[in-house]
Amino acid sequence: MSDCLFCKIVSGEIPAKVVYEDEHCLGFDDINPQAPVHVLVIPRKHVVSLSDADAADAELLGRLCLACAAVAAQKGIAEDGYRVVTNKGEKAGQSVFHLHLHVLGGRRMAWPPG
Ligand code: AMP
């Protein structure tokens, strides 16, 4: 989508610190990290949120989860533990309307999340 921030990161129009990439997914450091490790894993394809994905996206959603695990291993947080979060909709805190999984780690996480 032409006016989507994360589509512009996929195309390279907007720079990002890319830490993971494959044919379908991209992972890059969050610009406003909430933990020592805070990476956003996104599909290259524009999908607004989890609720906008359909059965045809099942493989893509699996690939996104595997990409999160690869990022966690690469960042050295897989052993200690990490959290994967996606926010859907304004009430949940979604501010960028291109599906993204937050991979957070490097510190102890509180539960329940705020
Ligand atoms: P959410 O609020 O769940 O939609 O998450 C959006 C995330 O995108 C936030 O954590 C922002 O800090 C992050 N973000 C916004 N703009 C950029 C950018 N240009 N590069 C990297 N991360 C960004």
Side-chain angles (χ1 to χ4, degrees):
M1 239 176 91
S2 57
D3 62 345
C4 169
L5 174 64
F6 287 175
C7 284
K8 288 179 180 169
I9 287 178
V10 169
S11 71
E13 196 180 327
I14 290 178
K17 172 94 189 306
V18 173
V19 299
Y20 176 91
E21 53 185 328
D22 64 30
E23 193 185 339
H24 302 280
C25 313
L26 195 68
F28 53 91
D29 285 340
D30 195 293
I31 205 167
N32 182 23
Q34 301 302 311
V37 174
H38 188 173
V39 173
L40 301 176
V41 174
I42 69 170
R44 291 184 185 273
K45 169 188 164 184
H46 184 80
V47 177
V48 172
S49 77
L50 203 51
S51 293
D52 297 282
D54 59 29
D57 296 312
E59 185 180 332
L60 178 61
L61 295 175
R63 288 181 184 278
L64 286 167
C65 289
L66 290 171
C68 289
V71 164
Q74 181 194 313
K75 291 282 190 178
I77 56 171
E79 194 83 0
D80 277 357
Y82 61 94
R83 184 169 291 172
V84 175
V85 176
T86 190
N87 297 320
K88 192 290 178 209
E90 181 271 329
K91 201 168 181 179
Q94 186 176 12
S95 61
V96 178
F97 292 85
H98 180 131
L99 176 63
H100 48 284
L101 304 185
H102 298 256
V103 180
L104 296 146
R107 67 165 168 81
R108 182 162 293 280
M109 298 289 157
W111 190 264

